Amino acid sequence: WPFINDGTYAAHGGMCAGMSIGAAYFYRDFKGTLQLRSHFDNDQYWFQTPKVWQDDANGLKFCAELQHAFITTSDIWERKQGSPLIPLLNRSEEDHFWSLCYALLVNNQPQFIFLAVRNDYNADAHAIIAYAYEILPGEGRLKVYDPNSPGKEGTIIFDFSSGKFRPYTSAANASALADGRTFNYNEIVFIPLSTLCNMKDIDRIWQKVADRTVGAGQYPEYELWAVPVDNEDLPRVKLLDAADGKTTYLPYRDFTVEIIQKDAGIPTTLTAWVDLPDIKEIERQEPASIIVLERPDKDNLVGIQVNAIADDATNYSWAGFQWFKIRMQSLWLEPADTTVNMNQELRLVLRHNSTAPQNARFVWDFGDGTTKTTIGDSTNTHTWTELGEYTVRVEMFEGNAAEAIGSALATVNVTAYSSIFIMLQGMTTTPPSTIKDTNGEDISQIGWANTDDNPPLVWNKQNFSVDMKKTVHGVEVNTSISGRLSDDGSSIATMTAITSSVGYGGDFMHNSAIVITDFPLGEFGVVSPLGRGLHGPAAQARVANISWRTETRDNEGNTKITEIESIDWSSDKTTLSVYFFQ
């Protein structure tokens, strides 16, 4: 492999076994056609980056998944009674050496070696593969590949006079090796791959590599955005993966990169890799800082590596890598990338970082077969009537000139949001809540939604609404939700949600209502929810009004009224969430 055994978010302690299994498997099936060291380089983009192994995303995820499938989820690594490793550990060292030589001779394939420190269960185990042997006077030598040291030939020596292996020095992973946290491994055990793993299972994981689904669901989901330096008038722009053949156009030369995560609770950092074509080098920024487009009038390659801390880890591990093809241009569209509902009107604005000609002519192509030409007005609206992803392109001309003086692109995902979920929470599972009633009791959450079997949202351009009525345990519940999105669809301009309930002959009545204004939306792809959660003061700023009232009457006709007493808006536990679902 071209990369070192530094682990990933899904295998943060290292993946030496996964790398050893993967290398042996690759040799078995592809030794005559593909070079492992170069095949995964940059996952076969149109350019090569042999000095950057961090961008070999498919290879890294493949090895991490092998590690998880055959080591992490099994007890093969455990040196305890009942482990399938015990019979192998009880064999003599001489038996292991000659068995390795025989397997290499007969199979002509790399063989798996387990390394440990005898009688020290606290010492981290390690895995390597042997790929050749040599018999010399007094000793035998095994040529080995150690995932901690790619490109270097390792050697394990077996002493014929003592019948023992000489200790082999290595570490649990490459970081430990670099830090000097090494072990003199004296328990050197040959494990046939057929004992360690089922080849059909490896074939299944390899197919994921071909399908580009390897590692799916095992790494943080995120988006990366370019943010202009010291100029709030210029837009943030979503970076488009160059693997999809897309170019990201920026109206500025200097920018930083911001990560927006689906799970904001996962700690992350970014590392940037900037191609410097004039000196034919790639500059590494760790952590990522201000990025400058070296050739603003041409395509620039910028790689962003995401590092994250897994739940049971203390250090950052590799969690993703993307290359972006970026070009600077004076024109841009707002919004550059957005998601809208089918039949929802979207307002698009063409911006210019200087002055557009007074007689400017704008030619629009909305990607659905519809075009439009405007004179002098760089604002346009459009409605898409079918689901899908559309590329909007606008060109600017001076008067009747035939050659455009600039163009801009935007991507619009047209979806069908049929459900809405609104929730004000004061706690998750553990009291106390930040919302209290007049009796001093916790109100854990107040919510409104039309999920499950309720009627879908009705859309009319930017406006949406739904009215629901159902009976639950003898209580009639009526809910009404209505609102309007902003012109560009990036926020909820205003929304009202009301629920009224009555039951048991009028002995129980409940009402709750909320008015929300200027609530920002965010999204993670076409099939994911559109929305977000805001906490504390940020949530309070969006709530124009809220009420919650319960009235009960007992058998003697006595009435009890309970209402909201207080909401601690200073606490981040107070969360307002709004999500649209398909």
Side-chain angles (χ1 to χ4, degrees):
W1 292 103
F3 44 80
I4 61 174
N5 172 36
D6 216 21
T8 72
Y9 180 83
H12 55 81
M15 50 188 187
C16 54
M19 293 175 68
S20 297
I21 295 168
Y25 172 84
F26 200 91
Y27 182 87
R28 185 198 73 171
D29 286 4
F30 305 109
K31 63 178 180 291
T33 56
L34 299 175
Q35 293 272 339
L36 176 60
R37 190 166 178 81
S38 60
H39 178 67
F40 284 91
D41 179 26
N42 203 9
D43 290 336
Q44 298 182 303
Y45 278 65
W46 68 93
F47 59 96
Q48 296 296 295
T49 53
K51 295 182 180 180
V52 182
W53 59 258
Q54 290 84 347
D55 61 4
D56 302 344
N58 273 332
L60 287 160
K61 290 179 180 179
F62 177 55
C63 292
E65 193 153 335
L66 291 174
Q67 180 83 19
H68 184 266
F70 301 117
I71 304 301
T72 308
T73 58
S74 74
D75 60 356
I76 190 69
W77 223 241
E78 300 295 326
R79 290 172 287 164
K80 60 185 180 182
Q81 196 63 35
S83 167
L85 198 60
I86 294 300
L88 296 173
L89 292 173
N90 290 334
R91 294 170 62 182
S92 70
E93 294 182 51
E94 187 170 16
D95 192 359
H96 280 297
F97 174 74
W98 289 115
S99 294
L100 271 165
C101 293
Y102 182 78
L104 287 166
L105 176 65
V106 173
N107 297 322
N108 194 28
Q109 292 177 11
Q111 302 299 318
F112 188 91
I113 298 177
F114 170 82
L115 301 175
V117 177
R118 189 174 292 109
N119 299 323
D120 185 357
Y121 288 2
N122 293 320
D124 297 320
H126 188 44
I128 59 178
I129 53 176
Y131 59 84
Y133 69 88
E134 186 179 15
I135 306 301
L136 300 173
E139 65 184 32
R141 296 191 173 195
L142 295 170
K143 305 291 186 182
V144 299
Y145 155 66
D146 190 331
N148 291 337
S149 306
K152 295 182 179 180
E153 181 181 276
T155 304
I156 290 180
I157 296 177
F158 180 77
D159 190 316
F160 290 144
S161 61
S162 65
K164 301 288 186 183
F165 285 107
R166 294 177 189 172
Y168 174 81
T169 302
S170 193
N173 51 55
S175 294
L177 183 64
D179 293 342
R181 292 180 281 118
T182 61
F183 298 99
N184 292 321
Y185 291 113
N186 57 6
E187 197 159 46
I188 298 170
V189 180
F190 165 46
I191 305 179
L193 278 177
S194 58
T195 300
L196 194 64
C197 48
N198 185 315
M199 286 299 166
K200 290 184 178 180
D201 289 335
I202 303 181
D203 290 338
R204 175 181 53 80
I205 297 173
W206 174 254
Q207 185 59 45
K208 292 183 180 182
V209 176
D211 297 341
R212 303 190 75 85
T213 60
V214 65
Q218 299 174 14
Y219 295 84
E221 294 183 55
Y222 59 85
E223 292 176 346
L224 297 171
W225 290 71
V227 181
V229 178
D230 299 329
N231 192 335
E232 296 181 357
D233 294 331
L234 295 175
R236 297 164 66 255
V237 177
K238 181 181 175 181
L239 296 175
L240 306 177
D241 195 339
D244 297 329
K246 296 181 178 180
T247 299
T248 303
Y249 293 95
L250 299 181
Y252 35 79
R253 184 174 182 175
D254 303 350
F255 64 96
T256 58
V257 177
E258 177 185 354
I259 183 171
I260 300 179
Q261 301 170 224
K262 190 168 187 178
D263 184 351
I266 300 176
T268 57
T269 63
L270 301 179
T271 304
W273 303 80
V274 182
D275 182 33
L276 305 176
D278 291 342
I279 60 174
K280 296 181 180 181
E281 290 291 341
I282 296 178
E283 177 188 52
R284 179 176 180 172
Q285 295 182 1
E286 191 169 22
S289 56
I290 296 176
I291 296 172
V292 180
L293 299 181
E294 293 292 321
R295 302 184 297 175
D297 58 333
K298 297 180 180 179
D299 290 338
N300 295 258
L301 289 171
V302 175
I304 299 295
Q305 173 186 336
V306 176
N307 315 289
I309 300 180
D311 287 341
D312 54 346
T314 56
N315 297 319
Y316 287 94
S317 299
W318 183 99
F321 193 107
Q322 291 168 286
W323 281 105
F324 302 101
K325 187 166 61 174
I326 303 175
R327 179 176 289 215
M328 184 179 173
Q329 64 175 22
S330 60
L331 298 176
W332 70 94
L333 275 169
E334 292 182 352
D337 295 276
T338 191
T339 300
V340 299
N341 200 70
M342 190 169 57
N343 298 317
Q344 174 192 336
E345 187 177 78
L346 176 65
R347 181 172 180 264
L348 292 154
V349 181
L350 180 66
R351 304 288 189 187
H352 198 289
N353 59 13
S354 58
T355 303
Q358 290 185 350
N359 61 341
R361 174 167 53 96
F362 303 96
V363 178
W364 296 77
D365 183 338
F366 297 102
D368 59 355
T370 305
T371 60
K372 186 177 181 180
T373 298
T374 58
I375 306 297
D377 188 359
S378 60
T379 300
N380 219 327
T381 59
H382 190 68
T383 300
W384 287 263
T385 59
E386 295 184 7
L387 303 179
E389 181 180 281
Y390 298 90
T391 298
V392 178
R393 179 181 179 88
V394 59
E395 292 182 298
M396 184 174 69
F397 298 82
E398 185 170 3
N400 295 321
E403 185 175 347
I405 57 176
S407 64
L409 298 174
T411 301
V412 179
N413 288 313
V414 179
T415 185
Y417 290 115
S418 59
S419 301
I420 190 170
F421 170 88
I422 309 161
M423 181 75 73
L424 180 67
Q425 289 179 282
M427 55 181 273
T428 50
T429 58
T430 307
S433 174
T434 60
I435 309 173
K436 304 290 185 181
D437 66 17
T438 47
N439 296 319
E441 300 293 329
D442 286 328
I443 301 174
S444 61
Q445 59 190 29
I446 309 170
W448 305 261
N450 72 320
T451 52
D452 302 325
D453 298 327
N454 290 304
L457 290 173
V458 176
W459 288 85
N460 181 14
K461 295 186 178 180
Q462 308 302 92
N463 301 298
F464 58 90
S465 63
V466 64
D467 291 297
M468 301 166 286
K469 179 183 292 187
K470 63 180 178 180
T471 301
V472 182
H473 302 303
V475 177
E476 185 179 282
V477 182
N478 294 279
T479 300
S480 176
I481 303 172
S482 62
R484 178 176 58 83
L485 299 185
S486 61
D487 289 343
D488 62 1
S490 65
S491 65
I492 298 173
T494 182
M495 178 173 63
T496 301
I498 302 172
T499 293
S500 60
S501 308
V502 61
Y504 310 112
D507 288 343
F508 172 84
M509 290 184 289
H510 175 78
N511 296 280
S512 61
I514 191 169
V515 178
I516 297 172
T517 60
D518 194 25
F519 189 92
L521 299 175
E523 51 90 13
F524 285 90
V526 181
V527 298
S528 300
L530 171 69
R532 67 177 56 189
L534 298 178
H535 307 278
Q540 181 183 19
R542 315 300 176 180
V543 178
N545 189 30
I546 185 166
S547 63
W548 183 93
R549 186 179 191 272
T550 299
E551 182 176 329
T552 57
R553 189 168 55 232
D554 61 22
N555 293 334
E556 298 178 357
N558 299 313
T559 299
K560 179 181 179 181
I561 297 175
T562 307
E563 298 179 297
I564 287 181
E565 175 71 18
S566 64
I567 301 175
D568 182 4
W569 292 106
S570 66
S571 171
D572 280 346
K573 286 177 61 179
T574 306
T575 305
L576 175 64
S577 301
V578 180
Y579 287 98
F580 290 98
F581 294 87
Q582 292 187 12

